[in-house]
Every structure is written in C-alpha cells, then in structure tokens.
Short mmCIF file of all heavy atoms in Angstrom, two decimals:
data_model
loop_
_atom_site.label_atom_id
_atom_site.label_comp_id
_atom_site.label_asym_id
_atom_site.label_seq_id
_atom_site.Cartn_x
_atom_site.Cartn_y
_atom_site.Cartn_z
N GLN A 1 97.97 132.27 -36.95
CA GLN A 1 97.24 133.17 -35.95
C GLN A 1 97.40 134.72 -36.27
O GLN A 1 96.80 135.49 -35.62
CB GLN A 1 97.75 132.87 -34.51
CG GLN A 1 97.91 131.41 -34.20
CD GLN A 1 96.64 130.59 -34.34
OE1 GLN A 1 95.48 131.07 -33.97
NE2 GLN A 1 96.87 129.37 -34.75
N PHE A 2 98.17 135.01 -37.25
CA PHE A 2 98.59 136.46 -37.47
C PHE A 2 97.43 137.30 -38.03
O PHE A 2 97.46 138.53 -37.86
CB PHE A 2 99.75 136.54 -38.40
CG PHE A 2 101.04 136.04 -37.84
CD1 PHE A 2 102.16 135.90 -38.68
CD2 PHE A 2 101.24 135.78 -36.54
CE1 PHE A 2 103.39 135.45 -38.22
CE2 PHE A 2 102.42 135.34 -36.01
CZ PHE A 2 103.44 135.18 -36.80
N ALA A 3 96.37 136.73 -38.64
CA ALA A 3 95.36 137.46 -39.24
C ALA A 3 94.09 136.49 -39.36
O ALA A 3 94.28 135.29 -39.40
CB ALA A 3 95.72 137.95 -40.65
N PRO A 4 92.92 137.04 -39.55
CA PRO A 4 91.73 136.24 -39.68
C PRO A 4 91.87 135.35 -40.95
O PRO A 4 92.37 135.83 -41.96
CB PRO A 4 90.54 137.19 -39.76
CG PRO A 4 91.08 138.49 -39.30
CD PRO A 4 92.60 138.49 -39.53
N VAL A 5 91.31 134.12 -40.81
CA VAL A 5 91.33 133.20 -41.95
C VAL A 5 89.89 133.04 -42.51
O VAL A 5 89.02 132.80 -41.69
CB VAL A 5 91.90 131.79 -41.59
CG1 VAL A 5 91.76 130.80 -42.70
CG2 VAL A 5 93.34 131.98 -41.14
N PHE A 6 89.75 133.31 -43.76
CA PHE A 6 88.39 133.14 -44.37
C PHE A 6 88.38 132.14 -45.52
O PHE A 6 87.36 131.86 -46.04
CB PHE A 6 87.96 134.55 -44.98
CG PHE A 6 87.66 135.59 -43.94
CD1 PHE A 6 88.58 136.50 -43.61
CD2 PHE A 6 86.46 135.61 -43.26
CE1 PHE A 6 88.32 137.49 -42.66
CE2 PHE A 6 86.14 136.50 -42.27
CZ PHE A 6 87.03 137.48 -41.90
N ALA A 7 89.54 131.67 -45.95
CA ALA A 7 89.56 130.73 -47.06
C ALA A 7 90.68 129.67 -46.71
O ALA A 7 91.77 129.96 -46.33
CB ALA A 7 89.87 131.46 -48.39
N ILE A 8 90.30 128.41 -47.02
CA ILE A 8 91.25 127.28 -46.83
C ILE A 8 91.13 126.33 -47.92
O ILE A 8 89.95 126.04 -48.47
CB ILE A 8 90.89 126.54 -45.43
CG1 ILE A 8 90.86 127.48 -44.32
CG2 ILE A 8 91.83 125.35 -45.28
CD1 ILE A 8 90.38 126.85 -43.07
N THR A 9 92.22 125.80 -48.35
CA THR A 9 92.24 124.70 -49.35
C THR A 9 93.38 123.71 -48.96
O THR A 9 94.31 124.04 -48.37
CB THR A 9 92.35 125.16 -50.77
OG1 THR A 9 92.02 124.07 -51.66
CG2 THR A 9 93.71 125.66 -51.10
N THR A 10 93.14 122.47 -49.39
CA THR A 10 94.28 121.51 -49.27
C THR A 10 94.92 121.27 -50.65
O THR A 10 94.37 121.49 -51.65
CB THR A 10 93.69 120.17 -48.75
OG1 THR A 10 92.73 119.65 -49.64
CG2 THR A 10 93.08 120.23 -47.31
N LEU A 11 96.15 120.95 -50.55
CA LEU A 11 96.96 120.67 -51.69
C LEU A 11 98.18 119.80 -51.30
O LEU A 11 98.29 119.53 -50.14
CB LEU A 11 97.44 121.97 -52.34
CG LEU A 11 98.43 122.84 -51.59
CD1 LEU A 11 99.22 123.66 -52.47
CD2 LEU A 11 97.69 123.77 -50.62
N ASP A 12 98.94 119.33 -52.15
CA ASP A 12 100.14 118.64 -51.95
C ASP A 12 101.26 119.39 -52.63
O ASP A 12 101.81 118.89 -53.70
CB ASP A 12 100.04 117.28 -52.39
CG ASP A 12 101.28 116.31 -51.95
OD1 ASP A 12 102.12 116.88 -51.21
OD2 ASP A 12 101.31 115.18 -52.36
N TYR A 13 101.68 120.47 -52.15
CA TYR A 13 102.61 121.39 -52.86
C TYR A 13 104.02 120.79 -53.13
O TYR A 13 104.64 120.98 -54.07
CB TYR A 13 102.68 122.73 -52.19
CG TYR A 13 103.82 122.82 -51.22
CD1 TYR A 13 105.02 123.52 -51.55
CD2 TYR A 13 103.78 122.29 -49.96
CE1 TYR A 13 106.13 123.56 -50.65
CE2 TYR A 13 104.82 122.44 -49.02
CZ TYR A 13 105.99 123.00 -49.48
OH TYR A 13 106.98 123.12 -48.59
N ASN A 14 104.40 119.93 -52.11
CA ASN A 14 105.76 119.30 -52.31
C ASN A 14 105.69 117.89 -52.78
O ASN A 14 106.70 117.21 -52.80
CB ASN A 14 106.48 119.39 -50.98
CG ASN A 14 105.70 118.66 -49.79
OD1 ASN A 14 104.66 118.21 -49.97
ND2 ASN A 14 106.40 118.54 -48.68
N GLN A 15 104.53 117.40 -53.18
CA GLN A 15 104.31 116.06 -53.81
C GLN A 15 104.87 114.94 -52.93
O GLN A 15 105.48 114.01 -53.55
CB GLN A 15 105.01 116.04 -55.19
CG GLN A 15 104.58 117.13 -56.11
CD GLN A 15 103.09 117.06 -56.53
OE1 GLN A 15 102.62 116.06 -56.88
NE2 GLN A 15 102.41 118.11 -56.29
N ASP A 16 104.71 115.00 -51.67
CA ASP A 16 105.12 113.87 -50.79
C ASP A 16 103.99 112.94 -50.40
O ASP A 16 104.22 112.06 -49.63
CB ASP A 16 105.84 114.47 -49.53
CG ASP A 16 104.82 115.23 -48.60
OD1 ASP A 16 103.66 115.45 -48.99
OD2 ASP A 16 105.24 115.70 -47.61
N GLY A 17 102.84 113.16 -50.96
CA GLY A 17 101.61 112.36 -50.68
C GLY A 17 100.93 112.66 -49.40
O GLY A 17 99.97 112.02 -49.06
N LYS A 18 101.41 113.66 -48.66
CA LYS A 18 100.74 114.08 -47.43
C LYS A 18 100.03 115.43 -47.66
O LYS A 18 100.64 116.34 -48.27
CB LYS A 18 101.82 114.20 -46.33
CG LYS A 18 102.54 113.01 -46.04
CD LYS A 18 103.73 113.15 -45.14
CE LYS A 18 104.51 111.86 -45.00
NZ LYS A 18 105.88 112.18 -44.40
N PRO A 19 98.85 115.59 -47.16
CA PRO A 19 98.08 116.78 -47.44
C PRO A 19 98.72 118.05 -46.75
O PRO A 19 99.09 117.95 -45.60
CB PRO A 19 96.66 116.57 -46.88
CG PRO A 19 96.65 115.20 -46.30
CD PRO A 19 97.97 114.62 -46.43
N ASP A 20 98.80 119.12 -47.46
CA ASP A 20 99.31 120.40 -46.98
C ASP A 20 98.06 121.31 -47.03
O ASP A 20 97.05 121.05 -47.65
CB ASP A 20 100.42 120.94 -47.85
CG ASP A 20 101.56 119.94 -48.06
OD1 ASP A 20 101.96 119.43 -47.02
OD2 ASP A 20 101.99 119.75 -49.20
N VAL A 21 98.16 122.41 -46.30
CA VAL A 21 97.04 123.36 -46.14
C VAL A 21 97.43 124.75 -46.50
O VAL A 21 98.47 125.15 -46.08
CB VAL A 21 96.47 123.33 -44.74
CG1 VAL A 21 95.31 124.32 -44.57
CG2 VAL A 21 95.97 121.94 -44.41
N LEU A 22 96.54 125.44 -47.27
CA LEU A 22 96.88 126.86 -47.54
C LEU A 22 95.76 127.69 -46.99
O LEU A 22 94.57 127.43 -47.15
CB LEU A 22 96.91 127.12 -49.04
CG LEU A 22 97.00 128.55 -49.54
CD1 LEU A 22 98.35 129.15 -49.03
CD2 LEU A 22 96.98 128.56 -51.03
N LEU A 23 96.11 128.59 -46.11
CA LEU A 23 95.08 129.51 -45.51
C LEU A 23 95.32 130.94 -46.02
O LEU A 23 96.40 131.43 -46.30
CB LEU A 23 95.41 129.69 -43.94
CG LEU A 23 95.62 128.28 -43.24
CD1 LEU A 23 96.08 128.65 -41.83
CD2 LEU A 23 94.42 127.52 -43.16
N ALA A 24 94.16 131.63 -46.20
CA ALA A 24 94.23 133.06 -46.66
C ALA A 24 93.05 133.78 -46.01
O ALA A 24 92.11 133.19 -45.47
CB ALA A 24 94.10 133.13 -48.15
N GLY A 25 93.16 135.08 -46.02
CA GLY A 25 92.05 135.85 -45.34
C GLY A 25 92.37 137.36 -45.32
O GLY A 25 92.54 137.97 -46.37
N ASN A 26 92.46 137.90 -44.11
CA ASN A 26 92.69 139.32 -43.83
C ASN A 26 91.36 140.06 -43.69
O ASN A 26 90.33 139.59 -44.13
CB ASN A 26 93.56 139.99 -44.86
CG ASN A 26 94.95 139.50 -44.86
OD1 ASN A 26 95.52 139.16 -43.83
ND2 ASN A 26 95.56 139.50 -46.01
N LEU A 27 91.38 141.21 -43.01
CA LEU A 27 90.27 142.11 -42.75
C LEU A 27 90.74 143.51 -42.78
O LEU A 27 91.24 144.04 -41.80
CB LEU A 27 89.57 141.70 -41.55
CG LEU A 27 88.26 142.41 -41.17
CD1 LEU A 27 87.24 142.17 -42.24
CD2 LEU A 27 87.77 142.03 -39.84
N ASN A 28 90.60 144.18 -43.98
CA ASN A 28 91.12 145.59 -44.02
C ASN A 28 90.02 146.59 -43.65
O ASN A 28 90.38 147.74 -43.53
CB ASN A 28 91.57 145.79 -45.55
CG ASN A 28 92.99 145.21 -45.73
OD1 ASN A 28 93.96 145.72 -45.23
ND2 ASN A 28 93.04 144.18 -46.52
N GLN A 29 88.80 146.16 -43.53
CA GLN A 29 87.76 147.15 -43.21
C GLN A 29 87.39 147.15 -41.71
O GLN A 29 86.30 147.42 -41.30
CB GLN A 29 86.56 146.86 -43.98
CG GLN A 29 86.75 146.95 -45.52
CD GLN A 29 87.25 148.42 -45.92
OE1 GLN A 29 86.68 149.36 -45.42
NE2 GLN A 29 88.15 148.50 -46.85
N ALA A 30 88.37 146.90 -40.90
CA ALA A 30 88.16 146.77 -39.43
C ALA A 30 88.05 148.18 -38.91
O ALA A 30 88.44 149.19 -39.55
CB ALA A 30 89.29 146.05 -38.77
N ARG A 31 87.51 148.32 -37.71
CA ARG A 31 87.29 149.62 -36.99
C ARG A 31 88.65 150.32 -36.92
O ARG A 31 89.69 149.67 -36.59
CB ARG A 31 86.62 149.44 -35.70
CG ARG A 31 85.19 148.94 -35.91
CD ARG A 31 84.43 148.76 -34.57
NE ARG A 31 84.56 149.95 -33.77
CZ ARG A 31 84.24 149.90 -32.54
NH1 ARG A 31 83.91 148.81 -31.91
NH2 ARG A 31 84.35 151.00 -31.83
N LEU A 32 88.68 151.67 -37.06
CA LEU A 32 89.83 152.38 -36.97
C LEU A 32 90.65 152.16 -35.61
O LEU A 32 91.80 152.10 -35.62
CB LEU A 32 89.61 153.92 -37.16
CG LEU A 32 89.25 154.31 -38.58
CD1 LEU A 32 88.83 155.82 -38.58
CD2 LEU A 32 90.27 154.01 -39.55
N ARG A 33 89.92 152.02 -34.60
CA ARG A 33 90.58 151.88 -33.21
C ARG A 33 91.55 150.67 -33.22
O ARG A 33 92.50 150.59 -32.59
CB ARG A 33 89.59 151.85 -32.16
CG ARG A 33 90.20 151.71 -30.77
CD ARG A 33 89.12 151.86 -29.72
NE ARG A 33 89.76 151.84 -28.40
CZ ARG A 33 89.15 151.83 -27.36
NH1 ARG A 33 87.82 152.09 -27.28
NH2 ARG A 33 89.79 151.75 -26.17
N PHE A 34 91.08 149.54 -33.96
CA PHE A 34 91.78 148.34 -33.89
C PHE A 34 92.78 148.17 -35.02
O PHE A 34 93.64 147.41 -34.94
CB PHE A 34 90.82 147.16 -33.89
CG PHE A 34 89.87 147.10 -32.65
CD1 PHE A 34 88.51 147.42 -32.85
CD2 PHE A 34 90.42 147.03 -31.34
CE1 PHE A 34 87.67 147.52 -31.79
CE2 PHE A 34 89.57 147.11 -30.26
CZ PHE A 34 88.26 147.30 -30.52
N GLY A 35 92.50 148.88 -36.08
CA GLY A 35 93.43 148.79 -37.32
C GLY A 35 93.12 147.61 -38.16
O GLY A 35 92.17 146.89 -37.91
N LYS A 36 93.94 147.50 -39.21
CA LYS A 36 93.73 146.38 -40.20
C LYS A 36 94.25 145.04 -39.62
O LYS A 36 95.14 145.00 -38.88
CB LYS A 36 94.49 146.68 -41.44
CG LYS A 36 93.96 147.93 -42.20
CD LYS A 36 94.79 148.19 -43.37
CE LYS A 36 94.24 149.38 -44.20
NZ LYS A 36 95.02 149.59 -45.47
N TYR A 37 93.59 144.01 -40.04
CA TYR A 37 94.07 142.66 -39.77
C TYR A 37 94.62 142.06 -41.14
O TYR A 37 93.87 141.42 -41.77
CB TYR A 37 93.00 141.73 -39.18
CG TYR A 37 92.32 142.29 -37.93
CD1 TYR A 37 91.09 142.84 -37.89
CD2 TYR A 37 93.03 142.36 -36.70
CE1 TYR A 37 90.52 143.40 -36.76
CE2 TYR A 37 92.50 142.87 -35.58
CZ TYR A 37 91.24 143.44 -35.58
OH TYR A 37 90.59 143.94 -34.51
N ASP A 38 95.79 142.37 -41.47
CA ASP A 38 96.25 142.05 -42.90
C ASP A 38 97.59 141.40 -42.93
O ASP A 38 98.37 141.64 -43.89
CB ASP A 38 96.12 143.29 -43.83
CG ASP A 38 97.06 144.37 -43.39
OD1 ASP A 38 97.66 144.34 -42.28
OD2 ASP A 38 97.19 145.35 -44.15
N ALA A 39 97.93 140.58 -42.00
CA ALA A 39 99.27 139.96 -41.93
C ALA A 39 99.32 138.60 -42.64
O ALA A 39 100.35 137.98 -42.52
CB ALA A 39 99.70 139.89 -40.48
N ASN A 40 98.31 138.23 -43.31
CA ASN A 40 98.33 136.89 -44.00
C ASN A 40 98.45 137.14 -45.51
O ASN A 40 97.54 137.67 -46.16
CB ASN A 40 96.98 136.20 -43.82
CG ASN A 40 96.98 134.87 -44.28
OD1 ASN A 40 97.56 134.47 -45.41
ND2 ASN A 40 96.16 133.94 -43.64
N TYR A 41 99.64 136.74 -46.11
CA TYR A 41 99.87 136.82 -47.51
C TYR A 41 99.80 135.56 -48.23
O TYR A 41 100.38 135.34 -49.25
CB TYR A 41 101.26 137.46 -47.72
CG TYR A 41 101.39 138.88 -47.22
CD1 TYR A 41 102.12 139.09 -46.02
CD2 TYR A 41 100.76 139.90 -47.88
CE1 TYR A 41 102.18 140.35 -45.45
CE2 TYR A 41 100.92 141.22 -47.30
CZ TYR A 41 101.57 141.33 -46.12
OH TYR A 41 101.72 142.63 -45.54
N GLY A 42 99.05 134.63 -47.58
CA GLY A 42 98.90 133.25 -48.10
C GLY A 42 99.74 132.39 -47.13
O GLY A 42 101.01 132.50 -47.23
N THR A 43 99.20 131.68 -46.20
CA THR A 43 99.99 130.90 -45.17
C THR A 43 99.96 129.45 -45.59
O THR A 43 98.98 128.82 -45.50
CB THR A 43 99.38 131.09 -43.85
OG1 THR A 43 99.32 132.47 -43.50
CG2 THR A 43 100.13 130.30 -42.81
N LEU A 44 101.06 128.93 -46.08
CA LEU A 44 101.20 127.60 -46.49
C LEU A 44 101.71 126.79 -45.36
O LEU A 44 102.73 127.12 -44.71
CB LEU A 44 102.13 127.38 -47.69
CG LEU A 44 102.36 126.04 -48.18
CD1 LEU A 44 100.99 125.47 -48.73
CD2 LEU A 44 103.40 126.08 -49.42
N LEU A 45 101.01 125.66 -44.94
CA LEU A 45 101.34 124.77 -43.88
C LEU A 45 101.62 123.41 -44.44
O LEU A 45 100.73 122.79 -45.09
CB LEU A 45 100.29 124.75 -42.84
CG LEU A 45 99.93 126.09 -42.15
CD1 LEU A 45 98.65 125.82 -41.30
CD2 LEU A 45 100.98 126.73 -41.52
#
C-alpha cells in the first residue's frame, strides 16, 4: 500500500511451487502539493 502499483508479475522466487508476486510502480510526477509517491523499490510478496 506504500505507493501506486503499475506493474505486477508472478514468479516462484523461493522455488517452493507456490506462486509469489512482485509489484512495482511509483509516481514521481505528482502534483507538488501532494509530493512524490515513490516508496516502492520492488515489493516481493
């Protein structure tokens, strides 16, 4: 929930046979009053 998500993919990063999800996004061109939404550095779930 920390930043907007614009890209999602599934993977099995730990090779346990269960799907994992990687989220990415951010919005650096937001209006000045609200500031940047850039707290997502690649969110692995």
Side-chain angles (χ1 to χ4, degrees):
Q1 315 303 323
F2 290 169
V5 172
F6 290 101
I8 302 172
T9 193
T10 58
L11 65 155
D12 188 7
Y13 95 99
N14 59 353
Q15 305 298 307
D16 65 355
K18 300 170 188 167
D20 306 311
V21 177
L22 177 60
L23 312 172
N26 294 327
L27 184 61
N28 282 290
Q29 299 300 319
R31 294 178 54 195
L32 289 177
R33 182 173 182 179
F34 301 112
K36 296 178 178 183
Y37 304 108
D38 63 351
N40 184 329
Y41 298 105
T43 303
L44 182 60
L45 303 175

